[in-house]
Amino acid sequence: MTIAQSQSALTLPDHTQLPESDGTFVKNFQEHPQSLLLTDSIRPVLDRLHPDGQYVIGQDCGIYWRLVDPPERGAEAPDWFYVPNVPPLLNGKRRRSYVLWQEIVAPLIALEFVSGDGSEEHDTTSPLAEDGLKAGKFWVYEQAIRVPFYGIYNVDQASVEIYELVANQYQRCMPNERGHFPIPPLGLELGIWQGSYLNQTLPWLRWWDSQGDLLLSGDERAEQEKQRAEQEKQRAEQEKQRADRLAERLRSLGVDPDHL
């Protein structure tokens, strides 16, 4: 059963009745920091876009798009995704998963982090209703969930591919002059940044604004403010030293600087 099939949502399970996990585990130690970096840096932007707080970010959370047996075969769990204009809690309870036949609103963007050779993230296999074959990730995001922007990030190749849903099919996006991929609904760009985060120096997937300025993490923002405060302190000290030297010179000339 797919979302397109007209069945009453009242007869279908909700997020509290579906499995919260399929028992798999994060495949490497870079994936969790990568998700944190994406979320931490974009949060101020999303808070401005959604002053009412109506949005969710998922990390390895199941998106249920069809009901089959076992239920996990009808779900896909992007490494990172963002859904606009939906409540962060459902009836005051934390979300166990994202159930499309309840929510209706699809994620605006879903990102997958390549752990193997990338074939899983590029898999266009369509499901066979008669045997419940698990659909490929690419097919699910394109044809079932219909995510407007799908990204495949490969840390080992220091690369990211971005696909946009155009006329019901994904078209691969081309980078701009900065080597970034614009995501127009967000007014942001995605690209690769070589640097250190949480003690790992790697090519990270990061956000930039439309002017090409890197969106900083909370720690980076705090460090930037610390540096600015230190610079202001140094400037103030330099000004004081100049004023003291001038006052001393005036006194040497017999002029009281306090009465000027």
Side-chain angles (χ1 to χ4, degrees), residues 29-31 33-34 193 195-204:
F29 283 88
Q30 189 261 348
E31 289 190 5
Q34 175 61 80
W193 174 82
S196 181
Y197 179 71
L198 294 184
N199 300 322
Q200 297 186 63
T201 301
L202 291 167
W204 299 91

Side-chain angles (χ1 to χ4, degrees), residues 145-247:
I145 303 176
R146 303 184 59 75
V147 180
F149 292 91
Y150 172 43
I152 301 173
Y153 161 63
N154 191 323
V155 63
D156 294 329
Q157 296 180 9
S159 67
V160 60
E161 301 169 23
I162 300 295
Y163 296 87
E164 182 177 4
L165 194 64
V166 178
N168 301 321
Q169 287 188 323
Y170 275 145
Q171 292 185 7
R172 187 167 177 176
C173 300
M174 299 300 295
N176 61 18
E177 68 279 3
R178 291 185 285 270
H180 302 159
F181 297 89
I183 311 296
L186 288 171
L188 301 177
E189 302 173 355
L190 274 171
I192 301 299
W193 174 82
Q194 180 69 39
S196 181
Y197 179 71
L198 294 184
N199 300 322
Q200 297 186 63
T201 301
L202 291 167
W204 299 91
L205 183 61
R206 296 201 62 168
W207 301 102
W208 281 262
D209 64 21
S210 57
Q211 285 73 49
D213 295 321
L214 183 68
L215 299 193
L216 303 181
S217 68
D219 287 345
E220 289 170 333
R221 291 192 295 271
E223 180 61 28
Q224 188 179 74
E225 288 301 316
K226 180 181 177 181
Q227 291 177 359
R228 286 176 181 169
E230 184 61 31
Q231 290 170 355
E232 287 298 322
K233 180 180 178 181
Q234 291 176 359
R235 279 195 289 269
E237 183 61 28
Q238 290 170 355
E239 288 297 325
K240 182 177 183 300
Q241 291 175 0
R242 280 195 290 269
D244 289 346
R245 287 195 297 269
L246 177 58

Side-chain angles (χ1 to χ4, degrees), residues 36-214:
L36 290 176
L37 181 55
L38 287 168
T39 300
D40 193 12
S41 57
I42 200 177
R43 273 186 57 198
V45 174
L46 297 183
D47 288 341
R48 288 196 298 271
L49 289 175
H50 303 282
D52 57 0
Q54 298 296 287
Y55 71 90
V56 296
I57 290 175
Q59 301 172 14
D60 291 313
C61 299
I63 301 176
Y64 281 90
W65 58 276
R66 65 170 180 168
L67 187 59
V68 293
D69 186 22
E72 296 91 328
R73 283 183 174 268
E76 202 59 70
D79 291 306
W80 192 95
F81 65 94
Y82 151 71
V83 191
N85 305 317
V86 295
L89 300 175
L90 290 179
N91 299 319
K93 296 181 180 180
R94 67 174 179 85
R95 293 174 176 273
R96 292 168 53 90
S97 57
Y98 193 80
V99 183
L100 274 177
W101 55 76
Q102 283 190 306
E103 306 278 2
I104 307 302
V105 181
L108 175 70
I109 184 169
L111 301 172
E112 289 285 356
F113 309 154
V114 173
S115 292
D117 60 5
S119 58
E120 182 180 354
E121 291 75 18
H122 293 87
D123 189 354
T124 59
T125 303
S126 61
L128 301 177
E130 60 270 19
D131 63 9
L133 176 69
K134 183 169 175 59
K137 285 180 182 287
F138 197 99
W139 186 94
V140 170
Y141 296 137
E142 179 189 53
Q143 298 298 321
I145 303 176
R146 303 184 59 75
V147 180
F149 292 91
Y150 172 43
I152 301 173
Y153 161 63
N154 191 323
V155 63
D156 294 329
Q157 296 180 9
S159 67
V160 60
E161 301 169 23
I162 300 295
Y163 296 87
E164 182 177 4
L165 194 64
V166 178
N168 301 321
Q169 287 188 323
Y170 275 145
Q171 292 185 7
R172 187 167 177 176
C173 300
M174 299 300 295
N176 61 18
E177 68 279 3
R178 291 185 285 270
H180 302 159
F181 297 89
I183 311 296
L186 288 171
L188 301 177
E189 302 173 355
L190 274 171
I192 301 299
W193 174 82
Q194 180 69 39
S196 181
Y197 179 71
L198 294 184
N199 300 322
Q200 297 186 63
T201 301
L202 291 167
W204 299 91
L205 183 61
R206 296 201 62 168
W207 301 102
W208 281 262
D209 64 21
S210 57
Q211 285 73 49
D213 295 321
L214 183 68

